[in-house]
């Protein structure tokens, strides 16, 4: 079987092919295969790995364009996923600067983690004598986020980072911000929430790729949504993102239909939308936007039940 690995020597990027017998990869993990290649085929091949137990997160790579934790990926399952091909392509995780072969630069991501201050400052009521106790419910709220091992798979799959990383942090950074901000022992959630808002909290494009590829089953998309809820509750509603969310909810409560014309106006304002008249015209021309919607929409069937669900969600969130 052929393993085509993307290489980088510091100057140029190239692909190198290694052939392994079935006995060399059968019953093994992807990390074991990489180690086999390095030990028996090419000692110059560089990649990172440490625990081999899905704890450290160091060995994440891409296979055929998707991210995997190499030590936790069984070759039998991987080959089955791709209909038992005779070739696999292995590359470094995306949206990171490549240092050498499958090794990427984590320093910018660590700097983003520092921004959201992932450690907590305990409430004054706690002390070395009393400790920092939580109820089971309070612990359960953040227990899943503690499972994040900083492997980078979510960031590798993130469409927003792929399109423009200049105003957005890696999804796992928001997961750690959620964990700290929602920790019942924290004295001030705002020290984690505000940096999240300032560094792209409302820029997520909802592609759900982070949730789909996380080897620990964590949904950074849900954590981002949770931080947004906290921001709205604390009155941090400046900007297009919060305005869009409120306009979205207003349409649902009003008719159950999204009014694309009003949604844009309420989200960005009249002046911002005057520069997008060409987009609006093309949407109307393609039948994607009805100019008569400026007069309002009819309520959808079952709208009363929809409103009841919204009210029930509001009531539940206050409990």
């Amino acid at each position: 079987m052929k393993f085509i690995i993307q290489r980088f020597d510091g100057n140029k990027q190239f692909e190198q092919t290694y052939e392994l017998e079935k006995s060399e990869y059968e019953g093994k993990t992807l990390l074991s295969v990489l180690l086999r290649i390095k030990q028996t085929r090419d000692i110059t091949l560089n990649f990172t790995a440490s625990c081999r137990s899905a704890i450290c997160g160091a060995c994440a790579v891409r296979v055929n364009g998707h991210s995997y934790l190499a030590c936790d990926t069984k070759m039998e399952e991987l080959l089955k996923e791709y209909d038992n091909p005779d070739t696999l392509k292995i590359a470094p995780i995306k949206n990171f600067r490549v240092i050498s072969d499958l090794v990427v630069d984590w320093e910018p991501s660590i700097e983003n983690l520092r921004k959201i201050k992932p450690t907590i400052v305990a409430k004054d009521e706690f002390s070395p004598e009393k400790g920092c106790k939580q109820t089971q419910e309070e612990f359960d709220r953040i227990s899943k986020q503690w499972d994040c091992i900083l492997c980078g798979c979510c960031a590798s799959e993130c469409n927003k980072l792929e399109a423009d990383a200049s105003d957005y942090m890696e999804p796992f950074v928001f997961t750690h911000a959620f964990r700290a901000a929602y920790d019942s022992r924290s004295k001030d959630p705002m020290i984690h929430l505000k940096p999240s808002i300032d560094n792209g909290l409302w820029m997520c494009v909802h592609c759900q790729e982070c949730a789909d590829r996380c080897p620990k089953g964590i949904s950074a998309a849900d954590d981002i949504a949770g931080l947004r809820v906290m921001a709205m509750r604390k009155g941090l509603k400046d900007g297009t993102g919060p305005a869009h969310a409120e306009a979205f909810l207003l349409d649902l409560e009003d008719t159950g239909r999204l009014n694309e014309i009003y949604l844009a106006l309420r989200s960005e304002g009249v002046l911002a939308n005057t520069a997008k008249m060409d987009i609006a015209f093309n949407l109307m021309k393609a039948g994607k936007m009805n100019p008569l919607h400026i007069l309002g929409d009819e309520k959808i069937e079952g709208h009363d039940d929809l409103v009841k669900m919204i009210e029930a969600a509001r009531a539940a969130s206050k409990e």
Side-chain angles (χ1 to χ4, degrees):
M1 180 175 179
K2 294 181 180 180
F3 293 84
I4 302 174
I5 301 180
Q6 183 175 309
R7 306 286 307 269
F8 180 65
D9 63 6
N11 294 309
K12 66 179 183 297
Q13 181 177 301
F14 58 97
E15 290 184 342
Q16 193 157 350
T17 300
Y18 304 94
E19 292 194 35
L20 270 64
E21 299 295 328
K22 187 175 182 179
S23 60
E24 294 182 281
Y25 62 81
E26 189 175 42
K28 294 181 171 58
T29 64
L30 176 58
L31 177 57
S32 295
V33 169
L34 289 174
L35 288 167
R36 179 74 178 177
I37 292 172
K38 184 174 181 68
Q39 291 165 356
T40 66
R41 301 298 196 279
D42 188 350
I43 198 172
T44 69
L45 177 64
N46 288 324
F47 54 89
T48 54
S50 183
C51 72
R52 304 194 192 188
S53 302
I55 295 173
C56 73
C59 63
V61 293
R62 278 186 299 138
V63 180
N64 290 1
H66 298 290
S67 302
Y68 298 85
L69 196 60
C71 71
D72 199 35
T73 301
K74 298 178 177 63
M75 286 302 299
E76 180 182 3
E77 296 175 357
L78 183 64
L79 293 174
K80 184 178 180 181
E81 184 176 347
Y82 292 107
D83 298 324
N84 295 307
D86 55 11
T87 301
L88 286 179
K89 288 191 174 184
I90 303 174
I93 53 177
K94 291 183 70 176
N95 301 320
F96 289 81
R97 184 179 70 86
V98 178
I99 297 175
S100 174
D101 296 340
L102 304 178
V103 182
V104 298
D105 182 11
W106 268 84
E107 190 54 37
S109 299
I110 298 304
E111 286 300 319
N112 281 335
L113 279 168
R114 292 189 179 107
K115 290 176 184 176
I116 55 97
K117 297 178 175 59
T119 56
I120 66 170
V121 177
K123 293 177 179 176
D124 294 334
E125 63 196 71
F126 297 124
S127 67
E129 295 74 28
K130 295 180 181 179
C132 298
K133 295 181 179 179
Q134 288 181 300
T135 66
Q136 186 63 48
E137 183 181 0
E138 290 169 338
F139 171 75
D140 290 342
R141 186 187 303 163
I142 59 171
S143 62
K144 192 62 183 176
Q145 288 72 20
W146 274 107
D147 289 341
C148 176
I149 57 175
L150 300 178
C151 63
C153 285
C154 61
S156 177
E157 302 289 328
C158 178
N159 287 320
K160 168 56 183 167
L161 288 176
E162 178 74 13
D164 181 9
S166 65
D167 57 357
Y168 192 65
M169 297 188 294
E170 297 82 353
F172 59 77
V173 178
F174 294 109
T175 285
H176 284 272
F178 177 99
R179 172 188 54 75
Y182 275 91
D183 194 318
S184 62
R185 301 166 296 179
S186 178
K187 183 177 182 179
D188 184 11
M190 299 296 282
I191 65 174
H192 318 290
L193 178 60
K194 284 186 175 179
S196 299
I197 296 172
D198 293 339
N199 291 277
L201 179 63
W202 291 95
M203 301 301 290
C204 170
V205 297
H206 312 289
C207 66
Q208 297 293 323
E209 292 289 344
C210 57
D212 183 54
R213 301 308 302 185
C214 176
K216 294 297 183 179
I218 301 168
S219 174
D222 286 350
D223 298 333
I224 289 169
L227 288 171
R228 288 176 174 181
V229 169
M230 179 181 283
M232 299 292 280
R233 286 177 178 170
K234 291 186 176 295
L236 303 176
K237 300 181 179 181
D238 292 338
T240 301
H244 183 80
E246 290 192 317
F248 192 99
L249 179 59
L250 183 62
D251 279 348
L252 291 182
E253 290 183 302
D254 185 25
T255 65
R257 302 177 189 275
L258 292 182
N259 189 314
E260 299 290 350
I261 294 177
Y262 279 123
L263 188 64
L265 292 172
R266 291 167 180 156
S267 299
E268 299 180 320
V270 176
L271 289 177
N273 277 279
T274 54
K276 300 178 181 179
M277 293 301 293
D278 57 331
I279 298 176
F281 176 77
N282 288 332
L283 287 172
M284 284 185 254
K285 187 178 178 181
K288 300 292 185 180
M289 181 185 291
N290 187 347
L292 294 179
H293 284 175
I294 197 72
L295 302 175
D297 288 317
E298 294 182 1
K299 292 182 179 180
I300 63 169
E301 182 179 350
H303 179 256
D304 291 341
D305 291 332
L306 174 62
V307 172
K308 288 178 182 178
M309 286 190 287
I310 293 173
E311 291 173 350
R314 280 202 182 101
S317 66
K318 292 179 181 178
E319 296 177 357

